[in-house]
């Protein structure tokens, strides 16, 4: 279940990047600075890598995989997305080093003569990140199926004594427990809900 939950978490984060559309070349530098820095790309890449590693550790060549062969498709989507994200991280690393004038002027001039910054950003965002997003998005039903198949759901009502309010620390403990088990949890208090 944790693999499916993590996959859906990565999907939600990637949806927030707005990678479902092609970005104009003149908008790419700002987009990368705001949404696809090297740190952000590394986070995205490592998140998908962790999903793949968990799959390989706990599911690959097990009775679970044999009895549920559709799980291999989820692993395949993670693998393709991971390789695209590795390319995106490498390219944005190169771009940020090139863009931030770390190199000597002669090196920058030589690099610019071979490949433009706009080409690097176009491939990074409109090909690598965008296609990785589509592979993750396309596998969402598989991740949801994984949760439905391997995780039982339940509703627990916990009454709060009159006048008691949940503050940040107790809520943080609930979040720790949820993260430990890696499954989606929705909490509702007085008609307001959040994930």
């Amino acid at each position: 279940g944790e693999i499916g939950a993590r996959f859906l978490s990565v999907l939600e984060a990637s949806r927030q990047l707005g990678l479902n559309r092609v970005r104009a070349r003149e908008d790419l530098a700002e987009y990368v600075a705001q949404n696809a820095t090297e740190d952000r790309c590394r986070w995205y890449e490592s998140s998908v890598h962790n999903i793949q590693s968990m799959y390989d550790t706990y599911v690959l060549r097990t009775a679970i995989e044999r009895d549920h062969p559709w799980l291999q498709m989820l692993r395949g989507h993670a693998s393709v997305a991971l390789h695209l994200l590795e390319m995106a991280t490498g390219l944005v690393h190169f771009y940020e080093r090139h863009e931030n004038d770390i190199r000597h002027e002669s090196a920058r001039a030589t690099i610019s003569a071979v490949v433009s910054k706009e080409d690097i950003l176009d491939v990074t965002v409109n090909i690598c990140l965008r296609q990785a997003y589509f592979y993750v998005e396309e596998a969402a039903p598989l991740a949801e199926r994984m949760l439905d198949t391997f995780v039982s759901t339940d509703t627990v009502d916990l009454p709060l004594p009159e006048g008691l309010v949940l503050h940040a620390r107790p809520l943080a403990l609930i979040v720790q427990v949820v993260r430990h088990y890696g499954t989606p949890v929705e909490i509702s208090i007085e008609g307001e809900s959040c994930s």
Side-chain angles (χ1 to χ4, degrees):
E2 186 174 352
I3 295 169
R6 285 188 182 207
F7 203 94
L8 293 175
S9 176
V10 166
L11 173 60
E12 186 56 37
S14 65
R15 282 178 177 158
Q16 293 173 6
L17 293 176
L19 292 166
N20 58 334
R21 65 181 177 88
V22 173
R23 301 224 175 262
R25 289 174 74 93
E26 60 270 10
D27 299 334
L28 291 172
E30 182 180 341
Y31 178 81
V32 167
Q34 297 294 319
N35 300 294
T37 62
E38 182 180 354
D39 287 342
R40 185 77 181 260
C41 287
R42 284 196 190 285
W43 173 87
Y44 197 8
E45 176 188 337
S46 70
S47 297
V48 174
H49 185 259
N50 288 341
I51 292 167
Q52 182 177 310
S53 294
M54 288 178 69
Y55 184 96
D56 291 351
T57 301
Y58 300 111
V59 179
L60 188 66
R61 295 186 198 91
T62 65
I64 293 170
E65 187 182 61
R66 184 192 67 235
D67 294 343
H68 306 279
W70 54 268
L71 289 170
Q72 294 174 1
M73 291 186 295
L74 183 69
R75 168 51 166 89
H77 282 269
S79 181
V80 172
L82 173 62
H83 294 301
L84 288 163
L85 292 167
E86 288 171 335
M87 288 188 290
T89 301
L91 288 169
V92 81
H93 170 83
F94 175 78
Y95 167 77
E96 286 181 357
R97 298 297 184 254
H98 183 49
E99 178 69 18
N100 292 328
D101 297 328
I102 290 173
R103 303 183 190 284
H104 294 288
E105 186 59 42
S106 62
R108 279 196 310 275
T110 302
I111 291 169
S112 294
V114 175
V115 62
S116 74
K117 294 175 187 178
E118 292 77 18
D119 288 344
I120 293 168
L121 292 178
D122 189 41
V123 170
T124 301
V125 174
N126 289 327
I127 296 175
C128 296
L129 289 174
R130 187 165 179 263
Q131 291 303 314
Y133 163 77
F134 286 134
Y135 272 94
V136 171
E137 179 75 40
E138 191 174 286
L142 296 170
E144 290 168 359
R145 182 176 177 189
M146 187 178 214
L147 289 176
D148 292 342
T149 303
F150 299 108
V151 176
S152 62
T153 59
D154 202 356
T155 300
V156 177
D157 290 319
L158 302 171
L160 291 176
E162 188 68 34
L164 185 67
V165 178
L166 280 180
H167 292 285
R169 232 175 281 156
L171 286 171
L173 292 172
I174 293 170
V175 169
Q176 275 185 317
V177 171
V178 169
R179 281 191 182 146
H180 173 76
Y181 290 101
T183 56
V185 171
E186 186 171 299
I187 188 168
S188 297
I189 299 174
E190 295 180 0
E192 290 188 39
S193 297
C194 66
S195 174

